[in-house]
Amino acid sequence: MAPSLCTDDVTGTGKSGSVKFNAKQHLAYSPPSNILKMKDLGKSPTVLSPVASTEPFPLLSHDAILQHRSEIFSGDVLDNCMHHTRPGSVQIRGMAPRYASFIHEFWHSPEVLKIISENAGVDLIPAMDYEISHTNVQLGPGGLDAVRKTPLEPPAATEEAISEFEKHKPRTRAITDQTRPIIEWHRDSHPFVCVVMLSDAQHMAGGETELKKADGSTLKVKSPQMGCAVILQGRYITHTAAPAANMPERVTIVTSFRPRDPTLLDETTNSNVRNKSHLTELYFQWTTYRLDVLAQRAQIAATELRDMYEKNVNASDPEGKNGLCRVETVEVKAIEAWVEDQMKYMKETLHEMRPLGQ
């Protein structure tokens, strides 16, 4: 039997928070065998990327899996960060960096961001700290109480589970049944997500992700194995996940990403997360990230105007002196359009903090 989780034991290295991310120790990356494009779903590429989804690929080493599980299922995290929003599962979110320093460091590391960005086709950063390692836990017969007894080492399949898996393996599974949903059909709040399996899925029946194509038909992406990841442009693809039918647990983590470039389209929302978050913290992180993007956009616009001004001075003033440039530098219509875009961006920022239920 796998050992019960001890919140003061972090993969044998001491108290929680003592483990530091080390790429050589904590990454087991191999590139995905295939990358599904938006055109494969009958959709046009978005302005961010032509990538729809990767095939599952190895990402976390076993040490990294254990460290994620140790921090996620610690007493502090379960006491403060667990939300029970549907009958079949719970969500654990908002634990980093306060209760999960390793998880925070892992998903902010240059090595991990390079892997995510190269496979997504656009340079990405975590959307907000609150959206790092959002955890979906499928509830079993033990219900909520059993979550607190989640073992550090992922439990292996029983002989009965393996038999069930082998019996149904040749069968084509329809996974749109929502009678026991892990999550309903939805689009994500953020442009890209990286989903990682933290459970032993070698003999898991179910657990696949299903994507809706433009014609209404669906396409299945196989469930990742333990430590493996799938990158999905989930803001623009309607999708769902199947429950695991035969395993003692199904634990997945989802880290959400947005473009690093502040000038790229940012249609991030809080639509799927406001009812499973501490809004005081979420809204602080949300507002400051949006203001930071606005400030970066303003700085870029100001720099472009200064560069244009210098060009105009050099081309029109025999002495090359600033202070009386008679060539038009500011295109008022262009500035008007820029201002309207930023006003829309900030109005959307406010809209995403509307009262729950609206």
Side-chain angles (χ1 to χ4, degrees), residues 38-350:
M38 295 294 282
K39 66 181 181 181
D40 297 321
L41 300 178
K43 297 174 175 284
S44 299
T46 69
V47 296
L48 298 179
S49 173
V51 172
S53 174
T54 65
E55 288 288 325
F57 61 92
L59 182 62
L60 273 65
S61 71
H62 193 69
D63 281 351
I65 293 167
L66 296 184
Q67 186 59 29
H68 273 76
R69 290 174 66 97
S70 176
E71 291 189 338
I72 289 166
F73 293 105
S74 70
D76 283 340
V77 168
L78 296 180
D79 287 344
N80 295 284
C81 305
M82 184 166 65
H83 304 267
H84 187 207
T85 57
R86 55 174 56 87
S89 65
V90 296
Q91 289 76 43
I92 305 169
R93 49 186 275 104
M95 74 285 289
R98 177 166 181 162
Y99 303 119
S101 59
F102 173 85
I103 287 173
H104 185 265
E105 190 178 357
F106 182 98
W107 291 101
H108 276 286
S109 69
E111 295 87 349
V112 171
L113 293 182
K114 181 180 179 183
I115 291 169
I116 301 299
S117 299
E118 287 181 349
N119 286 294
V122 58
D123 192 10
L124 298 172
I125 57 175
M128 292 178 282
D129 281 348
Y130 215 102
E131 302 306 329
I132 291 174
S133 204
H134 166 110
T135 306
N136 293 310
V137 182
Q138 179 178 331
L139 295 178
L144 281 171
D145 291 340
V147 177
R148 293 186 177 274
K149 300 175 183 176
T150 300
L152 182 62
E153 188 71 41
T158 63
E159 291 185 6
E160 182 182 0
I162 295 173
S163 175
E164 184 73 12
F165 173 80
E166 294 296 334
K167 182 171 66 174
H168 294 291
K169 188 166 57 173
R171 186 183 303 172
T172 300
R173 293 175 54 84
I175 66 168
T176 54
D177 180 14
Q178 292 293 307
T179 57
R180 290 194 307 121
I182 295 299
I183 190 166
E184 67 279 355
W185 284 101
H186 69 288
R187 293 190 179 191
D188 294 331
S189 295
H190 307 93
F192 274 90
V193 294
C194 180
V195 183
V196 179
M197 177 66 73
L198 294 188
S199 297
D200 185 342
Q202 183 178 0
H203 298 100
M204 184 178 290
E208 307 97 330
T209 298
E210 190 166 9
L211 313 178
K212 240 173 211 186
K213 301 172 72 173
D215 63 4
S217 62
T218 64
L219 185 149
K220 297 178 181 68
V221 177
K222 65 182 179 181
S223 176
Q225 295 299 305
M226 185 167 61
C228 293
V230 170
I231 296 170
L232 174 69
Q233 193 169 182
R235 183 77 184 97
Y236 302 102
I237 302 170
T238 301
H239 57 283
T240 190
N246 65 329
M247 290 295 291
E249 66 163 42
R250 181 185 186 273
V251 179
T252 59
I253 56 172
V254 183
T255 297
S256 299
F257 295 89
R258 59 183 172 89
R260 185 188 298 272
D261 184 346
T263 66
L264 292 180
L265 179 69
D266 182 358
E267 294 184 324
T268 299
T269 78
N270 289 322
S271 58
N272 296 334
V273 300
R274 292 191 305 140
N275 68 334
K276 54 181 74 74
S277 302
H278 296 296
L279 295 183
T280 48
E281 182 65 28
L282 177 68
Y283 287 171
F284 166 75
Q285 293 189 24
W286 166 258
T287 303
T288 51
Y289 124 60
R290 304 282 282 196
L291 288 171
D292 285 343
V293 169
L294 181 63
Q296 292 168 31
R297 290 177 177 180
Q299 186 59 58
I300 290 169
T303 298
E304 290 175 348
L305 284 175
R306 291 190 180 99
D307 291 345
M308 180 59 70
Y309 181 82
E310 289 299 319
K311 180 179 178 181
N312 289 340
V313 168
N314 292 334
S316 63
D317 192 307
E319 299 181 71
K321 292 182 177 180
N322 297 342
L324 193 60
C325 182
R326 298 182 184 276
V327 177
E328 192 69 69
T329 295
V330 176
E331 296 182 17
V332 176
K333 287 292 185 183
I335 292 297
E336 181 181 13
W338 185 89
V339 169
E340 288 178 353
D341 283 344
Q342 308 324 308
M343 290 175 63
K344 179 183 177 183
Y345 186 75
M346 293 312 294
K347 286 180 179 178
E348 290 169 349
T349 300
L350 286 174

Side-chain angles (χ1 to χ4, degrees), residues 10-59:
V10 182
T11 62
T13 60
K15 290 185 178 181
S16 179
S18 64
V19 175
K20 300 297 183 183
F21 171 74
N22 181 303
K24 291 182 179 180
Q25 179 184 355
H26 295 120
L27 291 181
Y29 173 63
S30 292
S33 59
N34 184 46
I35 294 180
L36 190 71
K37 299 299 181 66
M38 295 294 282
K39 66 181 181 181
D40 297 321
L41 300 178
K43 297 174 175 284
S44 299
T46 69
V47 296
L48 298 179
S49 173
V51 172
S53 174
T54 65
E55 288 288 325
F57 61 92
L59 182 62

